[in-house]
Amino acid sequence: VTAVDPIAAFVRIFIGDGTADNPNAGILYGNGYSYTGYEGACTEGACDGGNGGLIGNGGNGFNGGNGGSAGLFGNGGAGGHGVLGINGGAGGNGGSGGLFFGDGGAGGDGAAVTGETGGGGKGGAGGNIAHQFVANAAPDGSVLLFGSVGPLTIAPHLMKLTYDPFK
């Protein structure tokens, strides 16, 4: 039996990368765990990637599991590729990118199921949520956006926005 350092365990709550046994990162900083096989907290079925901290990337899913999401800054994890016998062969959804900055994770590919391909997962949302919030905020100077150009240049061509990115 290994002794647990209580100070290190307390710090890990706030800062640290996810592990197989505890896939989510620390609350403030850290990257979510990416499963590549059955281990730790995931021993069967689809395994979801761990969530990143406020600053950090989400982990990748495994066997059709969903990618982990980022907090404020970071990229979402990719969804796991679908496999026969788990979730009808569907690929996992990509994790959401950071609220202020980051790209959503790619959806996992579906598996071939009785001659048909299972549905691929959906990609995660990027920083569009923050851009939408700032665009719809009162113009009193109390809201500031630190973001990327993706929601201003690419998003208008991919989806209907509730704001005009050219204003």
Side-chain angles (χ1 to χ4, degrees):
V1 177
T2 305
V4 177
D5 179 5
I7 296 172
F10 179 74
V11 170
R12 168 63 179 85
I13 293 170
F14 299 100
I15 300 171
D17 291 335
T19 64
D21 292 320
N22 184 9
N24 293 329
I27 295 170
L28 299 177
Y29 180 82
N31 297 313
Y33 188 74
S34 293
Y35 285 101
T36 57
Y38 290 126
E39 58 185 322
C42 185
T43 58
E44 63 182 339
C47 302
D48 292 339
N51 293 324
L54 292 177
I55 300 172
N57 300 316
N60 298 333
F62 175 71
N63 274 2
N66 296 325
S69 296
L72 298 178
F73 300 95
N75 297 322
H81 298 297
V83 294
L84 293 175
I86 300 175
N87 294 336
N93 296 324
S96 296
L99 182 62
F100 295 124
F101 185 81
D103 296 323
D109 295 329
V113 181
T114 62
E116 295 182 16
T117 301
K122 297 178 181 176
N128 295 328
I129 298 168
H131 282 77
Q132 177 179 334
F133 177 80
V134 172
N136 295 326
D140 59 5
S142 64
V143 179
L144 177 69
L145 174 68
F146 175 77
S148 64
V149 297
L152 299 175
T153 59
I154 299 171
H157 303 287
L158 299 177
M159 62 187 69
K160 182 173 175 61
L161 302 174
T162 61
Y163 63 93
D164 184 356
F166 303 107
K167 288 186 177 182

